Amino acid sequence: MLQKYFIAVIPPQPVFSEIETIKKTVSEKYNNKSALRSPPHITLHMPFEWKTEKEEQLINSLHNFSYIRPFEVELKNFGCFEPKVVFIDVAKNETLNTLQSHLVNHIKTQLNIFNQANDLRKFHPHVTIAFRDLKKSAFYEMMEEYQQASYSAVFPVTSFYLLKQTGKVWVPFSEFCFIN
């Protein structure tokens, strides 16, 4: 059976709870539920399908992926992908870009998963707070509000996660810690 997965950085507390609060506020005010179906995260590898009977192979491969050491990520204000996605922006971070690039390459070469390589959009790290079911009119109203708003947080990145889709919800399934 095929299962959907994706790979992401999940911020620790208290940043996690701060973003959850923002997502819930947005959901209530703009009638947008999609962003509530996953924890706050920065996607490193977009969703892909994998056979559940080969799940152990997937997890072992990600454990074998080595990355240097922990680093920090700065979240700074809000941005959008017009006309459906509103997010908390991630400040430019070469270490995060390198992690994402090496991880995508590892997944492609070790697991033969190529869907990320076919995505011609450049990696633009962000934390989504509204998307998919956000109506166009609500998007513009929301952007008017959030372009004026500010948000700032810094958090350590010490691992990344494999998330698994359970029904319509994405849940952290396995954590992969960096080597110090």
Side-chain angles (χ1 to χ4, degrees):
M1 183 172 92
L2 288 175
Q3 180 68 50
K4 283 191 171 184
Y5 303 88
F6 78 93
I7 300 169
V9 168
I10 297 176
Q13 294 293 355
V15 177
F16 184 95
S17 292
E18 292 170 7
I19 297 170
E20 275 291 294
T21 299
I22 293 169
K23 287 169 53 170
K24 287 175 184 170
T25 300
V26 165
S27 174
E28 291 166 10
K29 186 169 183 178
Y30 297 100
N31 194 27
N32 178 262
K33 308 277 183 250
S34 293
L36 297 177
R37 294 184 183 145
S38 62
H41 67 275
I42 300 168
T43 301
L44 297 175
H45 194 289
M46 63 193 286
F48 59 92
E49 291 184 333
W50 189 259
K51 291 181 180 177
T52 52
E53 58 269 20
K54 290 184 165 188
E55 201 167 69
E56 191 173 325
Q57 177 190 357
L58 173 62
I59 291 168
N60 287 339
S61 179
L62 291 172
H63 274 299
N64 290 333
F65 173 76
S66 60
Y67 195 70
I68 359 173
R69 63 180 51 103
F71 59 97
E72 286 190 336
V73 164
E74 179 185 7
L75 303 178
K76 192 87 174 143
N77 299 328
F78 298 90
C80 68
F81 300 130
E82 212 170 322
K84 286 272 186 182
V85 181
V86 180
F87 55 80
I88 298 170
D89 212 355
V90 175
K92 186 174 178 174
N93 187 315
E94 287 306 317
T95 307
L96 180 63
N97 291 348
T98 301
L99 167 63
Q100 189 269 347
S101 171
H102 288 183
L103 183 62
V104 166
N105 187 55
H106 175 83
I107 289 168
K108 184 168 63 172
T109 59
Q110 301 301 310
L111 298 168
N112 292 318
I113 297 172
F114 291 91
N115 71 321
Q116 185 81 19
N118 293 334
D119 184 356
L120 299 177
R121 296 170 291 187
K122 192 175 179 203
F123 179 55
H124 183 199
H126 61 279
V127 180
T128 301
I129 60 169
F131 76 119
R132 195 169 294 153
D133 62 343
L134 183 64
K135 294 193 182 342
K136 204 178 229 185
S137 58
F139 169 83
Y140 291 109
E141 181 184 335
M142 186 177 170
M143 277 314 300
E144 199 171 301
E145 176 185 349
Y146 279 85
Q147 281 177 331
Q148 309 304 318
S150 66
Y151 178 78
S152 181
V154 175
F155 65 89
V157 177
T158 59
S159 64
F160 63 89
Y161 289 81
L162 176 66
L163 289 93
K164 183 176 183 175
Q165 190 174 38
T166 307
K168 291 186 176 187
V169 177
W170 291 95
V171 295
F173 181 65
S174 194
E175 182 179 16
F176 304 92
C177 296
F178 298 148
I179 301 165
N180 281 322

